[in-house]
Amino acid sequence: MPEQDFDTAIAAVQREWVGRRRVQEDEIALTAVRRAAGMLDLDPDSFQVGTPLPPHWFTLFFGPIFRQSDIGPDGHARPGAVLPPIPLPRRMGAGRRVRIMGRLRAGEPARQTTEVVAITPKMARTGRIAILTLRQTVEARGETIAVDEFDAIYREAVPPGQKGPAATPTPAPADPAWADEIVLTTPLIFRYSALTWNAHRIHYDADYARGVEGYPGVVHNGGLTMHLILDAALKRAPGELTGYTARLVHPLFAGETLVMAGHAARDGKMSVWGANKAGALCAQLELEFAK
């Protein structure tokens, strides 16, 4: 698309979509909670109706529900069905800024209000991009549980038969106070996608991931990367998690090992990260805890 046409299209989408809101109800069903627990290798039967969930689990619910006929060729809802029709075909999560005020409870109704905060076009090293920022406010029992500002990056298509441009890896910190590892298996990625109702084909269709979007294979879900790092960090938490920022910087793929590591907590804060076995930084998080 010529630059002038792209600018015109983006401006039109900004006018129509920025400020738009969508409400998603969820019962936080016990079955879904137990499936999440099983996926994370926890005892599903330890969760009962009314059990408070870990503070970051709100991201496992409220997956957008839409008709099968609204699915586009990449597995996402077609542009305009749920999210703004940004005129770039490739979309991936980039990061989030989260404030946590409470916890969801298994079996108790909750709702999430999603607002389109900004659509920001930019020129990056890899070409034209647009950043979509959503503010997701989670409420239950008449209280605000969490406010999550989430960024997704839209990119240009990869020419047929070519690989997507690879970013130069940044080395992960070499001085962790602790580290855990997990192998990112295809069944794990599938179970997370099923739980969160994410049909993006890069997370299960290796031929599509390679042939259309230029990846070397099935792409690990960035939301799960953040979740696993948080799980590891909360084993060393000095108190209740009250917020975090997260940035995804390098993709991970099925079969790779995620190394989750971090510094010791200090003054109610903790710096943590995820890396692959080659030492490339894949995600970086800054956590805050109640003092």
Side-chain angles (χ1 to χ4, degrees):
M1 178 185 295
E3 184 174 350
Q4 184 175 0
D5 292 347
F6 176 78
D7 292 343
T8 299
I10 280 287
V13 174
Q14 289 170 325
R15 286 193 301 271
E16 183 178 351
W17 281 81
V18 172
R20 185 179 292 195
R21 296 184 177 188
R22 173 175 53 85
V23 176
Q24 180 81 35
E25 306 282 349
D26 200 307
E27 293 79 21
I28 317 299
L30 181 59
T31 298
V33 169
R34 287 177 170 172
R35 285 174 177 163
M39 176 193 71
L40 296 166
D41 209 27
L42 302 174
D43 178 10
D45 293 333
S46 66
F47 291 85
Q48 307 294 329
V49 171
T51 300
L53 305 185
H56 59 304
W57 275 35
F58 69 90
T59 62
L60 297 175
F61 304 94
F62 310 104
I65 299 171
F66 47 89
R67 296 172 61 150
Q68 187 71 15
S69 57
D70 282 333
I71 290 180
D74 62 354
H76 282 308
R78 58 176 175 76
V82 176
L83 295 177
I86 293 172
L88 292 170
R90 302 169 66 217
R91 174 165 70 90
M92 287 192 73
R96 61 197 339 150
R97 297 160 297 282
V98 175
R99 291 181 291 121
I100 300 173
M101 301 81 151
R103 296 192 184 206
L104 295 174
R105 295 175 185 167
E108 290 192 356
R111 73 177 197 169
Q112 177 177 278
T113 302
T114 300
E115 179 182 357
V116 178
V117 174
I119 300 168
T120 309
K122 293 185 177 182
M123 281 299 299
R125 182 187 63 82
T126 56
R128 184 185 289 148
I129 67 170
I131 301 173
L132 170 65
T133 301
L134 304 173
R135 181 181 297 119
Q136 302 174 139
T137 302
V138 178
E139 299 171 284
R141 304 179 302 278
E143 305 170 1
T144 299
I145 301 299
V147 178
D148 174 11
E149 284 202 352
F150 178 84
D151 296 326
I153 294 182
Y154 289 71
R155 302 184 186 276
E156 295 177 302
V158 175
Q162 294 188 22
K163 294 182 178 180
T168 302
T170 299
D175 58 343
W178 56 267
D180 293 338
E181 296 184 1
I182 185 172
V183 178
L184 306 175
T185 65
T186 302
L188 173 62
I189 298 168
F190 166 80
R191 294 179 92 187
Y192 179 82
S193 292
L195 183 68
T196 56
W197 206 238
N198 184 342
H200 193 183
R201 289 172 64 183
I202 64 172
H203 299 312
Y204 58 88
D205 186 338
D207 290 340
Y208 172 86
R210 284 190 294 262
V212 177
E213 301 218 16
Y215 295 110
V218 168
V219 182
H220 184 67
N221 193 297
L224 181 54
T225 298
M226 290 184 271
H227 194 107
L228 293 171
I229 295 170
L230 284 165
D231 280 348
L234 292 183
K235 296 175 184 177
R236 289 92 175 173
E240 183 80 0
L241 181 69
T242 59
Y244 63 94
T245 62
R247 185 169 62 97
L248 299 172
V249 296
H250 191 75
L252 288 153
F253 301 96
E256 289 196 283
T257 297
L258 170 62
V259 181
M260 303 160 289
H263 297 309
R266 178 177 296 179
D267 298 326
K269 298 182 179 180
M270 183 188 293
S271 294
V272 300
W273 60 89
N276 62 22
K277 289 291 278 186
L281 183 68
C282 297
Q284 200 157 22
L285 291 82
E286 299 293 329
L287 315 185
E288 296 186 1
F289 301 92
K291 294 181 180 180

